[in-house]
Amino acid sequence: MAIQTVGVIGAGQMGNGIAHVFALSGYNVALNDISSDAVDRAIGLIENNLDRQVGRGKISQEDRDAAMARIAPQMDLAALGQSDLIIEAATENEDVKNKIFASLAPHLAEHTILTSNTSSISITRLASRTDRPERFMGFHFMNPVPVMQLVELIRGIATDEATYKTLADVVDRLGKQAASAEDFPAFIVNRILMPMINEAIYTLYEGVGSVQSIDTSLKLGANHPMGPLELADFIGLDTCLAIMNVLHDGLADTKYRPCPLLVKYVEAGWLGRKTDRGFYDYRGEVPVPTR
């Protein structure tokens, strides 16, 4: 099946990046969110990011203009139902995702493929609540989407081969690299990454090192481009906690227990860059550690 039209649900950090790369690759994109302000902000951010790519010589002005022309705000969720491909990129909450798919169900075209950008939730379970588990997959992009080359493709137990091949072809057209992951909690990247971040938070919690020393140690000692606490702030501490809870609940192993300090930061509303405070305070010109 040739994908031409794409509906993206969720105009946040992931959704706007997904819309960006699809439009730049020639797909017509309808961008939806429950907030019209969020959609407007997302389109403005996409425009700025495309301008930055033009300025760096990555794309031409013509490519930029054509990509912007392919993105349409769409506040009516039902109108996305006729898209060839729908990518759900809402918050990492299973109930929210199930409600979105339930709302879409009466409006879907017979051929529409449903996907979720979930970073940890069971694809088999999400698919089972829809009318098309054979045409449902996990389609997990990395953040920031325009920069990161990997896309995890996760088949549920009922996903058919045609759906998998169609999405693998889409990843190729986007100029990205696909990695197949089995449908186990957090898949590949976050199964490895999040426990490392959680352990870094435990290292801070237990007083082994400060925010600065932990991040410096991993950047210089393990050649990581960002320290684990800096990365947690970039991802969002609420997202980190949600993934650790999925790992802990799904695998029933105490090694995945979320650090109590991570829980406290989320309870405080200090979620990282998106709230201007997390393990660093971003309200000044230079980020300052909060511990």
Side-chain angles (χ1 to χ4, degrees), residues 266-288:
V266 173
E267 288 176 343
W270 291 19
L271 308 181
R273 285 184 175 272
K274 61 187 172 185
T275 59
D276 287 330
R277 278 195 291 188
F279 291 111
Y280 292 85
D281 188 326
Y282 300 93
R283 292 174 296 176
E285 291 185 12
V286 178
V288 178

Side-chain angles (χ1 to χ4, degrees), residues 74-131:
Q74 179 53 263
M75 296 308 298
D76 181 11
L77 183 64
L80 269 62
Q82 296 302 301
S83 304
D84 298 327
L85 170 64
I86 292 176
I87 305 167
E88 172 275 312
T91 186
E92 191 69 353
N93 180 293
E94 189 166 349
D95 288 340
V96 170
K97 294 178 187 299
N98 284 330
K99 286 175 183 175
I100 288 169
F101 291 124
S103 297
L104 278 170
H107 311 286
L108 294 173
E110 186 177 347
H111 69 276
T112 300
I113 293 174
L114 293 178
T115 67
S116 176
N117 184 58
T118 178
S119 52
S120 61
I121 297 169
S122 168
I123 299 304
T124 297
R125 197 164 60 238
L126 288 173
S128 71
R129 312 285 174 80
T130 74
D131 67 342

Side-chain angles (χ1 to χ4, degrees), residues 8-242:
V8 178
I9 302 169
Q13 193 173 40
M14 296 302 296
N16 78 67
I18 292 169
H20 174 144
V21 298
F22 270 88
L24 196 55
S25 297
Y27 295 95
N28 292 317
V29 179
L31 182 58
N32 170 272
D33 197 281
I34 56 173
S35 163
S36 59
D37 288 342
V39 173
D40 291 341
R41 283 195 302 272
I43 290 177
L45 185 59
I46 292 168
E47 191 168 15
N48 289 339
N49 287 338
L50 286 168
D51 287 341
R52 189 175 296 114
Q53 287 180 295
V54 171
R56 292 175 178 171
K58 302 286 187 183
I59 63 173
S60 68
Q61 184 67 39
E62 291 75 16
D63 288 340
R64 177 260 186 219
D65 294 342
M68 286 304 302
R70 294 187 192 105
I71 301 173
Q74 179 53 263
M75 296 308 298
D76 181 11
L77 183 64
L80 269 62
Q82 296 302 301
S83 304
D84 298 327
L85 170 64
I86 292 176
I87 305 167
E88 172 275 312
T91 186
E92 191 69 353
N93 180 293
E94 189 166 349
D95 288 340
V96 170
K97 294 178 187 299
N98 284 330
K99 286 175 183 175
I100 288 169
F101 291 124
S103 297
L104 278 170
H107 311 286
L108 294 173
E110 186 177 347
H111 69 276
T112 300
I113 293 174
L114 293 178
T115 67
S116 176
N117 184 58
T118 178
S119 52
S120 61
I121 297 169
S122 168
I123 299 304
T124 297
R125 197 164 60 238
L126 288 173
S128 71
R129 312 285 174 80
T130 74
D131 67 342
R132 59 196 64 211
E134 72 285 353
R135 292 195 299 282
F136 192 110
M137 273 192 64
F139 206 26
H140 183 215
F141 289 80
M142 306 296 124
N143 185 34
V145 181
V147 175
M148 301 295 280
Q149 291 301 300
L150 183 70
V151 181
E152 285 183 316
L153 295 181
I154 307 101
R155 280 180 272 211
I157 196 169
T159 306
D160 63 26
E161 187 64 19
T163 298
Y164 175 82
K165 287 182 176 178
T166 296
L167 290 188
D169 288 344
V170 169
V171 174
D172 284 343
R173 182 171 163 184
L174 295 176
K176 296 188 181 294
Q177 177 70 46
S180 296
E182 293 299 316
D183 186 21
F184 287 96
F187 318 130
I188 295 173
V189 172
N190 283 317
R191 172 74 177 266
I192 297 167
L193 176 64
M194 284 302 161
M196 184 201 75
I197 288 175
N198 195 52
E199 193 63 27
I201 300 169
Y202 266 114
T203 305
L204 177 65
Y205 177 62
E206 294 168 3
V208 179
S210 65
V211 168
Q212 196 72 58
S213 64
I214 292 166
D215 277 350
T216 299
S217 294
L218 268 293
K219 283 191 282 190
L220 300 184
N223 204 28
H224 290 188
M226 297 174 71
L229 302 176
E230 182 185 6
L231 180 57
D233 277 357
F234 181 76
I235 293 167
L237 302 192
D238 52 339
T239 300
C240 293
L241 179 58

